[in-house]
Amino acid sequence: MEAPSPGINGRMDITSPENADQRKKIVELLHKAYWMEVETVMSYIANSVNPDGVRAQEVKTSLAEDIQEELGHAQQFAKRIKELYGVVPGSEGFATEQSYLQPPEDQVDIVHVIKGVIEAERGAIDHYAKIVDETDGVDPVTQDMVITILQDEQGHLREFEGFLREYEAAGLA
Ligand SMILES: [Fe+2]
Ligand SMILES: [Fe+2]
């Protein structure tokens, strides 16, 4: 008996029934990515409004812009989950993880916010790099999408690392 083919003409096809196990694994990773984006949207909304002070303005403006981008990522992950025969989870499946991005005690503590954003972006970068690995040679469509999102997150990380450097140079962090 012939071994099950990975897809048409022996090419990898993540939508084919033989690849159901691999697909399930990828959908699970996409679920986590979806929740990370949704929680980031919540955290960035709060932190784009809460902080007080002149120095906080730049950070607030930047976060307010990122909200739309992170929301777009959540929608892309949702769409891909559906395309891979998964189901986009309802809100009852949500569990919080961003303890580090809760509003600080003092609303002028912008360094707390900057460090929290850096941690969130690093977490996303870690997880998305894992998806890029898992999809390699298996699901180039998901891989391509995640690489593009990964670049957005690297841009966010870099920007907030820049904010932190400024505060460190001023002896405020
Ligand atoms: Fe994102
Ligand atoms: Fe981001």
Side-chain angles (χ1 to χ4, degrees):
M1 207 181 98
E2 225 177 285
S5 117
I8 300 158
N9 301 327
R11 288 186 207 279
M12 180 52 76
D13 172 13
I14 197 63
T15 62
S16 74
E18 306 92 88
N19 290 322
D21 286 350
Q22 192 67 44
R23 195 165 60 232
K24 220 178 127 202
K25 207 166 156 193
I26 293 170
V27 167
E28 269 170 37
L29 293 168
L30 292 174
H31 272 188
K32 184 176 160 70
Y34 171 74
W35 286 132
M36 287 172 101
E37 295 290 349
V38 169
E39 187 170 17
T40 296
V41 168
M42 286 193 273
S43 294
Y44 287 8
I45 289 173
N47 288 296
S48 69
V49 173
N50 283 333
D52 286 319
V54 177
R55 304 190 75 117
Q57 278 313 315
E58 200 72 34
V59 171
K60 286 163 75 173
T61 303
S62 173
L63 282 177
E65 283 168 10
D66 290 348
I67 291 163
Q68 301 308 321
E69 219 167 303
E70 309 295 13
L71 186 59
H73 294 162
Q75 289 177 298
Q76 280 180 275
F77 283 122
K79 185 167 173 278
R80 191 62 187 152
I81 288 168
K82 178 71 176 175
E83 284 166 355
L84 293 180
Y85 304 97
V87 176
V88 183
S91 57
E92 283 182 351
F94 181 67
T96 58
E97 286 194 1
Q98 294 178 353
S99 54
Y100 47 85
L101 256 179
Q102 303 310 299
E105 284 284 303
D106 185 348
Q107 298 314 314
V108 295
D109 186 2
I110 196 67
V111 170
H112 167 92
V113 174
I114 294 169
K115 286 182 173 171
V117 171
I118 288 173
E119 194 162 344
E121 296 294 342
R122 277 202 188 287
I125 288 167
D126 268 12
H127 185 60
Y128 302 167
K130 195 170 154 192
I131 300 179
V132 170
D133 277 354
E134 282 290 333
T135 51
D136 193 46
V138 173
D139 179 2
V141 176
T142 298
Q143 188 182 44
D144 189 54
M145 181 190 89
V146 175
I147 287 171
T148 303
I149 294 173
L150 190 51
Q151 187 179 7
D152 290 341
E153 313 302 12
Q154 288 172 346
H156 298 160
L157 174 71
R158 191 66 194 87
E159 186 178 22
F160 277 78
E161 282 179 345
F163 287 141
L164 187 61
R165 278 199 61 200
E166 190 185 5
Y167 280 83
E168 283 169 347
L172 297 166

